[in-house]
Amino acid sequence: MKSTSLSRKLLTRVLSLYFVLTFIVTCVQIGAEYINTKNHIANELLTLEKTFSGSLTRAVWELNTQQAISIAEGLVAIPMIKGITVTDENNLIIAQLGLTADAETLYIELVGDDVNNPEYFNVSSQSEGLFGHGFPLIFEFSGRTTKVGSVTLLSSNEVIFNRIQVGIYFLIGNAMVKTAALVLLFSLAFSSLLTNPLNALTEQINQFDIDDPEASKLHVTNYENNELNILQNAYNNLIDELVAYKDELALAQSNIISANNKLDEQNLILEQEVARKTSSLSTSMLKMEMQQRELLTQQKNLQTENARRSTTEKTLLETNHELKNSIIQLNKAQERLLDAEKMAVLGSMSAEVTHEINTPIGVSITSTSYLADLLTALKADIKDNKLSKRVLNDFTKNSEQGLNLVLNNLERASELVTSYKQVAVDQISEKIRQVNLGKYIDEIIRSLHPKFKNTQHTIKVDCPQDAEVYCHAGAISQIFTNLIINSIMHGFKDMERGVITILVKLNGEHVHITYKDNGHGLSDEQLTHLFDPFYTTAGNRGGTGLGTYIVNNLVNDTLNGSVSASSALEQGLSYDIKFDNMH
């Protein structure tokens, strides 16, 4: 019967499972990289819209077809732009350059609240590998807006693959190297810990000598007290019992021979006694036969017990290995999930701050365009010798208003970018630096302004002006970001006026922060699970249940402090955070 290597069988199963998991993870990473790159290109198309929509709108409004074509050629020259189509208000094509999608394969997704009168739309063609963004050309004059045309920008999957090509090669190479290293490591481990010791035991068992059982004992060098030692000891005990039974059998045979000699000497004069002793001898022989059968039965039972223990040992080794792999995978999954949650909060802030910045920048662009029109009109009056004091006064007044509008909106955008930049850098950094807690908390609140700008919620901060501490600024940023977002999403649900109070106290080297909101609060049962991972009361609205879990880890592990919470239903939720200055 062909034998099967136990170590090879175990190694094949373990590595097959690892290969499948590695393949799935690598495919998921490649898919995520593709989606992320596609979203990045879509954002770049939106940036190009804001950059060139003004000049294209003026060109189409003034019926300057050559200028519109020149702008379209400039856009097509950008590597990620594979095609552009510019139409007028009657959907007649003014300029069409680069790739175009077949109308039968083109899929249009409307973007806007009013689907009957859309202003923006996304386009894609899966069969041709194209996707893009379309937007209207809106001309503003004397406070009125007029749609003069539309523009469609197209990119392709080829651009995406060119950007992520190196990343794909790195992911595949990394998976292959890890798989090869794991194959080598497991092969050496199974060979040294299982195959070689079992082969040595098998070789000595095959050399068993029935005439000299004592010399057939197992003597395998093994410095670890494991199942192989148990197997060796059990086999040697069986040999000892066999030797003892053999000695008893030899002694019994000697007694029989002695009894036969005595019977022979007394056979002539004591025939009846000989018959009696012969009967006794037959009885003794029968008992010896029964003892020998019992010995064989015990030997078979021992062999069966030995086989059962071997099977149990194999099952335990396989189960132990699977449990170790499961623990490693669970730890990795937990780390990836925590990192994903932190980056999700930062990504949400990025999208909202970007949307918030668009408003002042758009107002600045409109004011700049208006100032350019005023300057053009002034130049025309100078050229025609129609310049008057009234014209100059009007120009000065309108220019001053336009410049003030531009400066105010640009200053507002600059403040948003500065606050968000510092907070975002800190959230992905583990650097310890000196921060003024009062000013830093204000920067965090400004970066979260888009979260509650359309609400009547307020945040009150009571912090000493000289609250300078050395700490992980990124941990402070993530803690307040998660607490404020939790209050807005959960505490202030269906509330019009929520109030958040942040109180900071410094006692020597000790920092004491009290965070409290007047939201709906938690029940006693919910409060006991507040810091548990994946526990959330908003699972149907996309909650992950990791916000307070991350806060707890950051306070205890990163800041070496402590955090506790207290709450009651409809009486708000309060956090008590304590940590020491790290300088």
Side-chain angles (χ1 to χ4, degrees):
M1 182 177 179
K2 185 177 179 180
S3 61
T4 302
S5 174
L6 177 61
S7 60
R8 182 178 301 173
K9 189 174 182 180
L10 291 174
L11 186 62
T12 301
R13 292 184 178 181
V14 171
L15 293 179
S16 297
L17 178 60
Y18 176 79
F19 176 78
V20 172
L21 290 176
T22 303
F23 178 78
I24 293 173
V25 171
T26 303
C27 291
V28 171
Q29 289 177 334
I30 292 174
E33 188 70 18
Y34 171 84
I35 294 173
N36 184 52
T37 304
K38 185 174 182 179
N39 291 335
H40 184 69
I41 292 175
N43 289 333
E44 292 180 6
L45 292 178
L46 291 175
T47 302
L48 291 176
E49 171 198 339
K50 302 182 188 314
T51 303
F52 292 95
S53 63
S55 56
L56 274 173
T57 300
R58 183 167 294 279
V60 174
W61 174 259
E62 296 175 352
L63 301 179
N64 193 344
T65 304
Q66 186 58 43
Q67 183 181 355
I69 294 174
S70 299
I71 295 173
E73 289 175 347
L75 288 172
V76 171
I78 299 174
M80 73 170 181
I81 302 299
K82 296 299 181 180
I84 180 173
T85 301
V86 181
T87 62
D88 58 13
E89 58 183 350
N90 296 320
N91 291 328
L92 297 178
I93 296 175
I94 297 176
Q96 188 175 53
L97 301 175
L99 299 177
T100 58
D102 188 356
E104 296 180 356
T105 64
L106 191 64
Y107 172 75
I108 298 177
E109 179 186 6
L110 304 180
V111 179
D113 296 330
D114 186 4
V115 298
N116 295 319
N117 186 22
E119 293 184 351
Y120 298 88
F121 54 92
N122 294 329
V123 297
S124 61
S125 177
Q126 297 296 331
S127 61
E128 299 178 13
L130 298 177
F131 65 92
H133 170 66
F135 57 92
L137 298 177
I138 306 297
F139 182 79
E140 296 184 4
F141 180 76
S142 297
R144 294 183 300 173
T145 59
T146 303
K147 179 180 177 181
V148 299
S150 62
V151 177
T152 302
L153 300 177
L154 293 179
S155 187
S156 67
N157 291 335
E158 180 183 359
V159 176
I160 299 177
F161 290 126
N162 288 337
R163 291 193 179 185
I164 67 173
Q165 184 175 10
V166 175
I168 292 175
Y169 290 158
F170 175 80
L171 289 175
I172 295 176
N174 182 37
M176 293 176 65
V177 169
K178 289 194 293 186
T179 302
L182 194 64
V183 170
L184 178 61
L185 179 62
F186 272 91
S187 298
L188 294 175
F190 277 105
S191 177
S192 61
L193 297 178
L194 186 62
T195 304
N196 293 338
L198 285 178
N199 288 338
L201 288 174
T202 303
E203 182 178 358
Q204 293 191 26
I205 292 174
N206 290 333
Q207 296 176 0
F208 178 80
D209 186 4
I210 190 65
D211 296 325
D212 189 10
E214 187 68 25
S216 301
K217 285 188 175 182
L218 298 179
H219 302 285
V220 178
T221 302
N222 189 358
Y223 299 102
E224 297 180 359
N225 188 17
N226 55 23
E227 288 79 2
L228 293 178
N229 291 100
I230 297 174
L231 176 63
Q232 175 180 322
N233 294 334
Y235 183 85
N236 290 338
N237 291 336
L238 177 63
I239 295 295
D240 292 336
E241 292 178 4
L242 182 61
V243 170
Y245 281 117
K246 187 176 181 181
D247 293 337
E248 290 178 4
L249 181 62
L251 181 61
Q253 288 177 347
S254 177
N255 292 335
I256 292 172
I257 293 173
S258 177
N260 284 332
N261 290 334
K262 291 181 180 180
L263 287 173
D264 289 337
E265 292 175 357
Q266 297 180 4
N267 186 41
L268 295 175
I269 56 176
L270 299 172
E271 196 162 328
Q272 291 181 350
E273 184 70 13
V274 169
R276 186 181 63 79
K277 288 191 175 182
T278 302
S279 176
S280 177
L281 179 63
S282 298
T283 303
S284 298
M285 290 292 293
L286 181 61
K287 290 181 179 179
M288 288 178 60
E289 232 173 48
M290 294 178 63
Q291 289 179 352
Q292 188 174 13
R293 290 177 182 176
E294 291 177 358
L295 177 63
L296 293 174
T297 301
Q298 291 180 359
Q299 184 178 7
K300 291 180 180 179
N301 292 336
L302 287 174
Q303 290 177 347
T304 303
E305 179 66 17
N306 187 26
R308 187 185 66 80
R309 290 184 177 182
S310 298
T311 303
T312 304
E313 175 193 351
K314 296 175 185 177
T315 305
L316 287 174
L317 288 174
E318 183 176 359
T319 303
N320 185 33
H321 184 70
E322 291 177 352
L323 287 174
K324 288 181 179 179
N325 285 339
S326 298
I327 292 172
I328 293 172
Q329 294 298 326
L330 285 174
N331 289 334
K332 290 182 178 179
Q334 183 178 9
E335 293 176 1
R336 288 195 298 269
L337 194 57
L338 288 177
D339 291 338
E341 176 67 14
K342 293 177 182 177
M343 295 308 296
V345 174
L346 188 58
S348 176
M349 287 174 56
S350 301
E352 291 171 348
V353 169
T354 300
H355 182 269
E356 184 74 6
I357 291 174
N358 285 337
T359 299
I361 291 180
V363 173
S364 299
I365 292 174
T366 302
S367 299
T368 304
S369 177
Y370 176 67
L371 288 174
D373 292 339
L374 291 177
L375 184 60
T376 301
L378 181 63
K379 287 181 179 180
D381 289 340
I382 293 173
K383 184 177 179 181
D384 297 337
N385 293 323
K386 295 180 179 180
L387 187 61
S388 64
K389 183 177 180 180
R390 183 182 61 80
V391 172
L392 284 175
N393 289 334
D394 291 342
F395 175 78
T396 303
K397 179 180 178 181
N398 293 333
S399 298
E400 184 178 4
Q401 292 177 352
L403 287 174
N404 289 334
L405 191 61
V406 170
L407 289 174
N408 291 335
N409 281 275
L410 290 179
E411 183 178 355
R412 176 186 171 193
S414 176
E415 290 177 354
L416 284 172
V417 171
T418 301
S419 299
Y420 171 73
K421 178 181 178 183
Q422 185 60 61
V423 172
V425 169
D426 284 336
Q427 287 201 11
I428 61 176
S429 172
E430 297 183 356
K431 181 179 179 182
I432 297 177
R433 66 183 182 90
Q434 183 180 13
V435 296
N436 184 296
L437 279 181
K439 295 180 180 179
Y440 193 59
I441 292 174
D442 289 340
E443 289 185 359
I444 296 171
I445 294 173
R446 280 199 298 269
S447 69
L448 294 173
H449 176 69
K451 283 286 185 182
F452 53 85
K453 70 171 186 176
N454 294 325
T455 69
Q456 298 183 28
H457 305 320
T458 58
I459 300 179
K460 300 178 181 179
V461 180
D462 185 0
C463 178
Q465 294 182 356
D466 57 347
E468 301 285 343
V469 295
Y470 283 88
C471 63
H472 288 273
I476 297 295
S477 173
Q478 291 183 34
I479 288 170
F480 279 104
T481 298
N482 280 286
L483 292 181
I484 293 173
I485 290 177
N486 274 359
S487 294
I488 295 172
M489 290 181 59
H490 307 293
F492 298 154
K493 180 186 177 184
D494 299 327
M495 289 182 59
E496 294 183 359
R497 297 180 181 273
V499 179
I500 297 174
T501 304
I502 301 174
L503 176 62
V504 180
K505 294 182 180 179
L506 270 66
N507 184 12
E509 297 298 320
H510 305 292
V511 181
H512 185 189
I513 299 175
T514 301
Y515 176 97
K516 185 176 182 180
D517 65 42
N518 65 339
H520 297 294
L522 300 175
S523 64
D524 292 340
E525 181 182 358
Q526 291 172 337
L527 189 61
T528 59
H529 300 287
L530 179 61
F531 296 114
D532 293 348
F534 307 111
Y535 179 77
T536 178
T537 59
N540 58 345
R541 296 186 315 231
T544 62
L546 291 175
T548 52
Y549 177 69
I550 293 174
V551 170
N552 186 51
N553 285 349
L554 289 173
V555 174
N556 288 279
D557 299 336
T558 305
L559 299 180
N560 295 322
S562 63
V563 58
S564 61
S566 60
S567 179
L569 283 176
E570 303 305 328
Q571 295 183 15
L573 175 61
S574 177
Y575 294 89
D576 193 64
I577 300 172
K578 298 178 181 179
F579 62 92
D580 295 334
N581 201 336
M582 295 184 179
H583 67 76

